[in-house]
Amino acid sequence: MPKKTIRKYLPNPEVIRQSKALQIFGTLLHDANLWHLNRRSARGAIAIGLFWAWMPMPFQMVASAAVAIPLRVNLPLAVGCVWLSNPLTMPVMFYLSYLVGSAVLAAPLEPFAFEASIEWLAGSMATIGKPFLLGCLLMGTTASIVGYFLIDWLWVLSIRRAQRDRRNGNGNGSGVK
């Protein structure tokens, strides 16, 4: 199940290879392991992508790819997971990060009005910078760890279900290796 579900939502490898932002990686993008989808590559890619999704920076996809390539995990999945943070989810994610960081630092809450711009990020660092960045780091790390183990568990569950179905003669044996 996880492999089929993941494949359904993965971007086309050729689209990723042709991305102007990722052209800086050149021939490194031709490594077959970056496009292979198995349990190891999926859990690593999801962990990387979810971590970078929480980071308040431009070019999160490039950062995700820069980590995924040397670790040889599924590149489209690592880059695709970054899109967890998008214009609709960013305000909620960043406000939650700020709240978490403020709680950890026991810092008083300051007014927080998110804008999706570099100017907002630079201007807000003086007032909310420390709790916001700490919260982003903590949330990114937590999402990464949870994503890693959740995908690992779902993958194993899928394999066991397929094995059980084969034993019981339920047909398709759509197990994932």
Side-chain angles (χ1 to χ4, degrees):
M1 179 195 86
K3 189 172 187 175
K4 286 183 180 180
T5 304
I6 290 169
R7 278 204 195 279
K8 185 166 59 171
Y9 294 105
L10 278 180
N12 183 325
E14 199 52 42
V15 171
I16 298 283
R17 281 190 191 104
Q18 299 304 321
S19 169
K20 290 185 193 266
L22 299 181
Q23 291 302 305
I24 61 172
F25 297 112
T27 59
L28 293 173
L29 297 178
H30 298 293
D31 182 351
N33 287 311
L34 298 176
W35 312 101
H36 187 68
L37 186 60
N38 59 31
R39 184 173 154 199
R40 182 199 155 286
S41 69
R43 66 186 182 199
I46 285 178
I48 291 166
L50 289 178
F51 175 81
W52 288 106
W54 284 90
M55 296 303 113
M57 58 183 272
F59 305 110
Q60 294 166 312
M61 292 188 329
V62 175
S64 182
V67 175
I69 289 170
L71 294 179
R72 300 175 81 191
V73 299
N74 188 278
L75 184 62
L77 188 54
V79 169
C81 281
V82 168
W83 283 96
L84 170 69
S85 65
N86 59 61
L88 294 175
T89 61
M90 262 189 232
V92 174
M93 291 173 68
F94 288 169
Y95 186 65
L96 182 60
S97 294
Y98 172 63
L99 292 177
V100 167
S102 293
V104 169
L105 294 174
L109 294 176
E110 300 289 334
F112 188 100
F114 174 75
E115 293 176 26
S117 70
I118 298 295
E119 294 78 23
W120 173 85
L121 187 60
S124 297
M125 288 301 111
T127 56
I128 66 166
K130 286 181 185 177
F132 174 60
L133 293 176
L134 176 62
C136 287
L137 183 63
L138 292 173
M139 293 302 293
T141 301
T142 301
S144 180
I145 292 167
V146 168
Y148 181 93
F149 287 109
L150 181 62
I151 285 300
D152 191 57
W153 177 74
L154 287 171
W155 205 281
V156 169
L157 186 67
S158 173
I159 291 169
R160 287 183 182 154
R161 183 174 293 135
Q163 289 170 340
R164 184 191 67 227
D165 289 349
R166 279 195 299 269
R167 265 194 315 271
N168 295 336
N170 289 350
N172 70 5
S174 61
V176 180
K177 293 187 177 186

